[in-house]
Amino acid sequence: MLSVFLLSAAGFTVLTTEFIIVGLLPSIARDLQVTIAQAGLLVTLFAFTVAAFGPFLTAWFARFERRKLFISVLVIFGLANTLAALAPNIGVMAIARLIPALGLPVFWALASETAVDIVGPQFAGRAIARIGFGIVCATVFGIPVGTLISDAFGWRSAFAILAVVAFAKALLLFIYLPKTNLHQQQVSLRSQFQILRSPLMQGHVLLSILVFSGMFTAYTYLADILERLAGFDGTLVGWCLMGFGAVGLVGNSLGGRAVDRHPLIASMVFCLFMIGGMVALVPSIHSTLGLAAAMGIWGVTQAALFLVSHVRLMKAAPEAPAFAASLNIAGANLGIGLGAMVGGRVIDTLGLGSIGFAASGFILISILLALLLMTFKPRAACADC
């Protein structure tokens, strides 16, 4: 469907804006004369802003006409990326990261709800997998291509090109995206926030926090691992990140099918395999086959868990799916921010080689929490969650 494809394409730009910095951290740190751990705080700032404001902004903007809202978000992203390309110091760069962080949860949650409305809740996983294809493409192409552009022309060029892409996507939505009806059953702000009173929902949000903390304790510094421990140059790092993202296409497909059957079991299975990939990465760093296998397993499971976590929250609160999606986005970004902070501290104290074990600790705890959540008696409104 054209509408879903356009939203997926826009999602590519939105998610690339958040994650492109992962491949650019070493260059940004050198150019702005800060440490890699200090540059990593830009990831934390973006993530914590999403976590703090995402659910409230999503609940508020859910009443607005979708087409105008999505176009406005993309224009804001274009302006923010322009500012990032011109940033003279870390302070201005922080502002450039703060602005789009306010728009990301609104776009992602409401685009997900729109996709589910189109295909029906029974196919929620596959619908969001189509929207999530934009996320995977951001990982497959956006982040590594940004790294390659940075290596060839400088990191500022990567943000400048992303700004042009954001403005172009806004124009495409203006021309081709039809006006969309509001969600059929608008839920009051009070009703949306009431779902947070459920211990099961609280557990699901905590699960997202733990999963993403584990992911980004290591993933935030993956480019640095490949540069310093493997000895790769910027170009080779870019190709490695592209391979990491490319296998995510498999994870996106597997995750979309698995989450429709049982969200918590899907989460546990992918988390178990992710631990294996993370722990094996550094010991395999000088083996081409071993490094490829470790990054492949990690890449598949990371893409799958993006999707599984998102759908898991939406299925847990079918009466307010957009708000539930925003809770997952908030929890995920809180985890991203915590992971970036923990990873930076691990690097400073234990060294870069210990980061996979620290990340796996979060993932192991998330598996235990998922087991606990399976013992909860589900609400009548969501008996299959």
Side-chain angles (χ1 to χ4, degrees), residues 23-251:
L24 307 182
L25 277 182
S27 299
I28 291 173
R30 286 191 294 267
D31 189 45
L32 299 184
Q33 299 181 339
V34 296
T35 67
I36 190 71
Q38 289 172 327
L41 292 177
L42 293 171
V43 178
T44 299
L45 173 66
F46 194 109
F48 280 180
T49 301
V50 173
F53 297 101
F56 303 98
L57 291 173
T58 300
W60 175 258
F61 283 104
R63 68 190 69 188
F64 288 82
E65 198 273 317
R66 300 289 190 260
R67 177 173 175 269
K68 292 180 180 178
L69 185 63
F70 295 153
I71 292 171
S72 298
V73 168
L74 284 170
V75 170
I76 290 171
F77 271 65
L79 294 172
N81 285 319
T82 300
L83 181 61
L86 301 173
N89 54 53
I90 196 70
V92 175
M93 190 66 185
I95 295 173
R97 299 299 292 166
L98 177 68
I99 295 170
L102 298 172
L104 181 143
V106 175
F107 177 89
W108 184 234
L110 295 178
S112 300
E113 180 192 65
T114 301
V116 173
D117 283 346
I118 292 172
V119 303
Q122 68 272 26
F123 298 112
R126 298 179 194 185
I128 297 175
R130 293 173 185 170
I131 298 293
F133 185 73
I135 294 182
V136 179
C137 286
T139 306
V140 175
F141 300 110
I143 297 172
V145 169
T147 305
L148 294 172
I149 291 172
S150 172
D151 188 56
F153 306 106
W155 63 269
R156 297 179 187 277
S157 298
F159 281 107
I161 292 172
L162 189 56
V164 172
V165 172
F167 289 131
K169 296 286 178 64
L171 181 60
L172 287 174
L173 290 183
F174 178 78
I175 296 172
Y176 294 109
L177 186 68
K179 287 188 176 181
T180 52
N181 295 325
L182 294 178
H183 192 55
Q184 293 299 316
Q185 295 180 338
Q186 286 294 302
V187 183
S188 69
L189 289 174
R190 181 178 179 183
S191 298
Q192 292 183 68
F193 282 104
Q194 276 185 338
I195 69 175
L196 279 171
R197 299 175 62 182
S198 164
L200 182 61
M201 279 298 299
Q202 294 168 11
H204 274 288
V205 174
L206 178 58
L207 180 56
S208 290
I209 294 172
L210 289 170
V211 168
F212 281 83
S213 293
M215 284 185 193
F216 281 83
T217 292
Y219 184 63
T220 301
Y221 303 99
L222 179 57
D224 200 36
I225 291 172
L226 295 174
E227 277 195 14
R228 288 206 278 158
L229 298 187
F232 296 165
D233 61 20
T235 300
L236 188 52
V237 168
W239 286 112
C240 286
L241 292 177
M242 186 172 291
F244 183 95
V247 298
L249 294 169
V250 177

Side-chain angles (χ1 to χ4, degrees), residues 271-284 290-291 293-299 301 356 360:
C271 280
L272 279 170
F273 279 98
M274 175 175 277
I275 289 175
M278 285 181 166
V279 170
L281 183 69
V282 172
S284 306
L291 180 60
M295 289 188 65
I297 293 170
W298 184 3
T301 54
S360 296

Side-chain angles (χ1 to χ4, degrees), residues 9-35:
F12 165 85
T13 305
V14 169
L15 270 296
T16 299
T17 295
E18 177 172 12
F19 295 130
I20 192 173
I21 198 169
V22 169
L24 307 182
L25 277 182
S27 299
I28 291 173
R30 286 191 294 267
D31 189 45
L32 299 184
Q33 299 181 339
V34 296
T35 67

